[in-house]
Amino acid sequence: MESLEDFYNQIALAIVELNEDRARELAIRSINEGLDLLKVIERGFGEGIRRIGNLWEDGDIFLPELMLGGNIMQECMGLLLPHLKSKNKSYSPGSIVIATIEGDIHSIGKTIVATLLNANGFEVYDLGADVPAEKIIDVAIEKEADIIGISALLTTTMIGQKKVISLLKKQGIRNKFKVILGGAPVTEAWTKECEADGYAENAIDSIKLVKKLLSK
Ligand code: B12
C-alpha cells in the first residue's frame, strides 16, 4: 500500500474532484484494511471538504458543486461512522445532548463528534441539525444530561449558541449542565463571550474536552 499521507491525499482529491465512485471505493478500502478511521475522516475526507469550501468561497466552484461535495461526504460518512461505533455500552461515563443550532443545516462535523462520543461509551442524544435552542434545553432537562454540545458552522447562526446559554441562565439552570461549543467559526474568544465551558476544534479534542469537564 502507498504511504498513509498519500492515501489521505487521494481521498481529499476524490472529494475535491467530486468523484463519488472513487471516494466510496477509498472509504470501503479504509474499512477493509483496518485503518484508523478517525484519521481517515479528519485528514482525508475532512481535508477534501474543507478544500471544497475554500474553492467555493473563492468563486472557483458554484453552489451545486458545494452541495454535491457535501452529499458525497455524507454518503462516505454513512459507510465509515458505523464502524466507529462499539465498546463500553454497559458503562456510561456521562451523557450529552448534541445538536446543530437553529437555522444551520451543517451536520457532518456534529455527527462525527456524536459518533465518536458514542464509541467512547458516552450516552449521546443527537438531535440533528437546525434545532431551536428551546428544544435542546428541553431534551437536556428530560434526559438529565451532563453536557450540552452545540454546533454552528455559519457566522450568522453562532448567536444561537449564546442563546442557549442565556436561556439556561434565565431559567436558573445554567449550573446543571456543562455547555460546549463547536463548528469551524467557533473560537476561544467566542466561547468566553458566550460563557460556555469549552470548545473543541475537532472530534478527538471534543472527547478530551468532555472527559476533562466530567472529571471536574
Ligand atoms: C459541506 C458544507 C455544506 C453542505 C452541508 C452538508 C451537511 N449535511 O452538513 C451544504 C452544501 C448543505 C452547505 C450549505 C450551506 N453552506 Co456550507 N459548507 C460546507 C463546508 C464545505 C464543509 C463543512 C464540513 O462538513 N466540514 C467537515 C467537518 C468534519 O468539519 P466541521 O464541520 O468543522 O466539524 C469539526 C469541528 O468543527 C468540530 N465540531 C463540529 N461541531 C461540533 C460540535 C461540538 C459540540 C464540538 C465540541 C465540536 C464540533 O468537530 C468536527 C469534526 O472534526 C464548509 C466549509 C468549511 N471550511 O467549514 C461550508 C460553509 C460552512 N458553508 C457556508 C455557507 C455560506 C453555506 C450556505 C449558506 C450556502 C448557501 N448560499 O446556501 C448553506 C447553508 C444553509 C444553512 N441554512 O445552513 C460557509 C459559511 C460562511 C460563513 N461565514 O458563515 C462555509 C464556511 C463555506 C465558505 N468557505 O464560505 N454547506
Side-chain angles (χ1 to χ4, degrees):
M1 188 180 161
E2 60 280 66
S3 78
L4 278 175
E5 282 313 315
D6 252 22
F7 187 69
Y8 298 147
N9 243 323
Q10 284 180 43
I11 295 175
L13 208 65
I15 296 286
V16 171
E17 289 173 348
L18 303 174
N19 188 338
E20 190 173 351
D21 290 342
R22 176 83 176 136
R24 210 185 303 119
E25 177 199 319
L26 292 170
I28 292 168
R29 247 186 83 189
S30 309
I31 298 165
N32 290 342
E33 292 180 17
L35 299 186
D36 179 340
L37 295 185
L38 198 60
K39 285 206 177 125
V40 166
I41 290 171
E42 295 277 3
R43 300 184 50 189
F45 290 95
E47 172 60 25
I49 198 74
R50 277 187 286 273
R51 280 194 220 160
I52 291 220
N54 293 340
L55 288 171
W56 183 70
E57 197 171 26
D58 294 345
D60 293 330
I61 59 170
F62 298 100
L63 191 58
E65 286 146 314
L66 174 71
M67 288 174 73
L68 182 55
N71 287 344
I72 296 173
M73 174 87 181
Q74 268 192 302
E75 196 194 320
C76 292
M77 290 308 103
L79 294 171
L80 294 167
L81 292 181
H83 292 269
L84 274 181
K85 290 200 172 140
S86 65
K87 299 184 201 167
N88 291 339
K89 286 282 183 306
S90 54
Y91 160 73
S92 169
S95 61
I96 174 161
V97 167
I98 189 166
T100 303
I101 198 67
E102 187 165 25
D104 197 327
I105 61 167
H106 294 90
S107 60
I108 295 171
K110 180 268 305 156
T111 306
I112 294 173
V113 172
T115 307
L116 195 66
L117 280 164
N118 191 255
N120 276 270
F122 293 92
E123 205 177 318
V124 181
Y125 301 96
D126 182 348
L127 309 186
D130 190 14
V131 186
E134 294 80 1
K135 175 157 185 210
I136 296 174
I137 293 175
D138 285 351
V139 178
I141 294 170
E142 183 198 325
K143 302 291 180 193
E144 298 183 354
D146 300 299
I147 294 194
I148 296 176
I150 322 157
S151 187
L153 265 283
L154 296 172
T155 43
T156 47
T157 55
M158 289 167 79
I159 194 73
Q161 296 178 314
K162 201 172 181 178
K163 182 178 172 189
V164 172
I165 295 173
S166 305
L167 286 175
L168 287 173
K169 283 189 193 154
K170 238 189 211 160
Q171 297 181 28
I173 51 173
R174 173 65 185 91
N175 59 2
K176 274 200 185 317
F177 311 98
K178 302 281 184 200
V179 182
I180 62 171
L181 310 181
V186 173
T187 58
E188 175 88 52
W190 176 245
T191 307
K192 283 214 171 94
E193 189 179 327
C194 293
E195 296 180 39
D197 297 291
Y199 86 108
E201 284 182 3
N202 57 53
I204 294 177
D205 286 352
S206 302
I207 306 300
K208 288 188 193 150
L209 174 65
V210 166
K211 285 186 175 161
K212 192 178 99 192
L213 288 173
L214 288 177
S215 68
K216 274 186 182 167

